[in-house]
Structure formats: structure tokens, C-alpha cells
Amino acid sequence: MVDRLVNSEANARRIAMVENCFGSSGQPLAEQGRVLVGEGVLTKMCRKKPKARQFFLFNDILVYGNIVINKKKYNKQHVIPLEEVKLESLKDEGQYRNGWLIRTASKSFAVYAATATEKEEWMAHIEKCIEDLLRKSGKQPPSEHAAVWVPDNEAAICMHCKKTQFTVLNRRHHCRKCGSVVCGPCSSKRFVLRTQSEKPLRVCLQCYDELNREKARSNQGQTLGPGAAKAGGDGAGSGGDSSQDDDSDDDDERPVAEDKHDEPKFYGDGEKTEDNTNNHSSKETTK
């Protein structure tokens, strides 16, 4: 299905429209052999609250961004290589339904579809793209993944010391190793997590101790392998609010319009409906 779309005019046109919608805020997406497999809106669990994000699934990457004008303009583009992705289905809990985790070594987060059917479609298409990529490249799926951050509103007190209450002055921070919401004193240490950054990152005291123990064991005759954590110094002090290097798509104060729900579109089976898949045409004038 994907192979026969590689050189199609419809595929080239769709990719060009996605590039146009991101404008100068996004990177070029047209590459030899790249196919736009599907697109749609998913709810991404951000640090502060769930927010609607536009997702584009290609046969080798997953792209998402903030919605500025629905179907016309997006910004804060994020590009995730699919060969680094692992999916994990989530059970329905209260208002959070039809969700799954998108996990990579550098970043992991939860997304939610509008219906169970859409969740199945998204996950099946993503898994198929990952399977095809790994088979063609001969690579193994990654074994280490970044922690999913606990949302701010799920922690009224520090998850480490169980004492500090969060206020305007006592701000929330996230441990980059375990994803817990912690206070400044409980996350005053820094450690280099090489799968996430070459710079020392904020970690909680418990993870800092565990990482140092792992480092000590590694130093007893074994060199650090690729992707292993290594010490980045004590980094004493809280070092400011962790939101300075939080997800860049989280600090979006623009309200998302409550449009009627549009089902995601997956291309390949219905080229006869090509005109209907032209979601992002600059000629669209209806509101």
C-alpha cells in the first residue's frame, strides 16, 4: 500500500501542503521514498494539561505540532524517527480514554484518540510503519526509553519527600529519569542522561543515587556503553524552574477552537477519494 504511493502525485502534493502549513517554523519534509501515511488530531498529555495537537504519520517519521488555525497553520513542529518509537496501550481511566504511550529514548508522552476505533487505526498504522522500517534496516528496536512525565495536576505535594506542598513560590519540577513531580530541594542534582541530552539534566535525589551506583558498578572494569548514563557533576542547587527546558509545545496559551470532530485520514486504500484527502488546501475558505 505504502510502496505504490511513493512516487504518486497525490503523495507529493500532500507532503507539500503539510510543509506549507508549518511554514518557516518547520523543516522540509519531502524526501525520496517518504510517504504521508495518515493525519489527524490527537490529544497530547502535556505537562500542565491535555492539549489538541495535529499529528502526521509518515512511513519513517511521526510529526506533530501546535494548531494555530485548524487545517491551515501549525507551529512548534516536532519530528520523531519511527525506528526509535515504541508504543504502549493505556487502559481507560476516567476521562482519559483511548490512549497510548509514544516512547523514545529522548522523550515519551501519552496521546488520546476520540474513539476506540481511531486508537486502533492509529496504533496499527504506526506499528506497521515501525515494523517495515526495522525489517528493511535490520536494526533492533531501542531497549531504553525516557520516562513519561507525571502531569502537574496529579501532584499536589512533592512525590519524593511527600511533604512540600506546591505553591506559586514552591514550584513543580520533573525528574528527567523517572518523570516524578518533585520540589526544588528534592531535585537539586544534575546528571547526564546521554539518550536525552549531553548536558546535565535535573534528576530527583533517589534517581541521582541510583545513577551513581550504576556508574560505580560500570567503572569496576567496564566502560560506559552507548546510551548509558554517565555522571555530569553534582550540579548543586535547584538551578531554576525546570519549565525552562520543558516541552516547547507545552507553553501554548492560545485556546484551541472547539471544532466538530474530524476523523483521522489514512491514505492508500482510497485514491479515488483523493480530492477528499486534500485537507490542507490553501483554497479552503469555509470556517
Side-chain angles (χ1 to χ4, degrees), residues 150-166:
V150 176
D152 283 3
N153 60 9
E154 292 187 13
I157 63 172
C158 174
M159 298 176 69
H160 186 268
C161 67
K162 312 291 186 183
K163 296 178 181 178
T164 302
Q165 290 189 327
F166 296 120

Side-chain angles (χ1 to χ4, degrees), residues 103-120:
R103 306 185 72 115
T104 72
S106 59
K107 182 178 183 179
S108 300
F109 55 91
V111 292
Y112 296 87
T115 67
T117 298
E118 291 180 17
K119 171 185 175 178
E120 291 176 5

Side-chain angles (χ1 to χ4, degrees), residues 12-272:
R13 190 160 57 248
R14 292 180 189 123
I15 294 178
M17 289 172 183
V18 176
E19 290 180 326
N20 183 62
C21 287
F22 278 104
S24 59
S25 69
Q27 67 183 55
L29 297 171
E31 288 189 6
Q32 183 66 35
R34 178 168 289 166
V35 173
L36 179 58
V37 177
E39 60 181 281
V41 176
L42 295 171
T43 299
K44 177 179 178 290
M45 183 61 74
C46 297
R47 185 175 70 90
K48 296 180 181 179
K49 60 182 179 180
K51 296 179 181 179
R53 296 288 181 256
Q54 181 73 30
F55 280 77
F56 298 94
L57 173 63
F58 295 83
N59 59 337
D60 62 334
I61 57 175
L62 182 65
V63 176
Y64 71 93
N66 294 11
I67 302 170
V68 180
I69 302 175
N70 192 30
K71 300 183 182 179
K72 292 185 178 180
K73 186 177 181 181
Y74 313 113
N75 64 11
K76 297 186 179 178
Q77 183 188 81
H78 296 255
V79 179
I80 304 173
L82 283 179
E83 62 184 15
E84 300 176 5
V85 170
K86 177 184 178 182
L87 302 186
E88 182 180 327
S89 181
L90 293 173
K91 293 182 179 179
D92 293 345
E93 291 186 10
Q95 63 177 321
Y96 300 119
R97 306 177 65 83
N98 311 315
W100 68 96
L101 297 179
I102 297 175
R103 306 185 72 115
T104 72
S106 59
K107 182 178 183 179
S108 300
F109 55 91
V111 292
Y112 296 87
T115 67
T117 298
E118 291 180 17
K119 171 185 175 178
E120 291 176 5
E121 290 179 331
W122 272 108
M123 292 191 71
H125 280 89
I126 297 173
E127 292 279 20
K128 180 64 166 59
C129 290
I130 295 172
E131 178 185 324
D132 290 345
L133 269 178
L134 293 177
R135 186 180 67 252
K136 291 176 182 178
S137 68
K139 295 181 179 179
Q140 294 296 316
S143 58
E144 184 177 349
H145 304 91
V148 178
W149 285 14
V150 176
D152 283 3
N153 60 9
E154 292 187 13
I157 63 172
C158 174
M159 298 176 69
H160 186 268
C161 67
K162 312 291 186 183
K163 296 178 181 178
T164 302
Q165 290 189 327
F166 296 120
T167 65
V168 174
L169 296 179
N170 290 326
R171 306 182 69 175
R172 292 172 173 84
H173 303 276
H174 280 84
C175 171
R176 301 310 197 269
K177 178 62 177 175
C178 69
S180 296
V181 182
V182 289
C183 63
C186 288
S187 59
S188 61
K189 301 296 186 181
R190 301 289 186 276
F191 207 93
V192 174
L193 304 172
R194 295 180 65 184
T195 58
Q196 297 187 40
S197 174
E198 291 300 321
K199 297 187 296 183
L201 299 176
R202 181 188 294 273
V203 294
C204 69
L205 299 180
Q206 180 175 337
C207 285
Y208 182 77
D209 290 341
E210 291 177 356
L211 289 165
N212 272 317
R213 285 195 292 270
E214 291 177 8
K215 176 176 179 285
R217 287 194 295 268
S218 297
N219 288 342
Q220 293 176 356
Q222 292 185 358
T223 58
L224 286 172
K230 69 176 183 180
D234 285 351
S238 63
D241 181 26
S242 67
S243 62
Q244 294 301 313
D245 51 3
D246 280 350
D247 294 341
S248 62
D249 65 332
D250 195 43
D251 54 354
D252 173 24
E253 300 303 327
R254 185 181 293 102
V256 178
E258 293 293 334
D259 295 333
K260 67 183 182 69
H261 172 63
D262 290 324
E263 295 182 358
K265 295 183 181 296
F266 296 101
Y267 308 120
D269 296 329
E271 289 303 298
K272 61 182 181 296

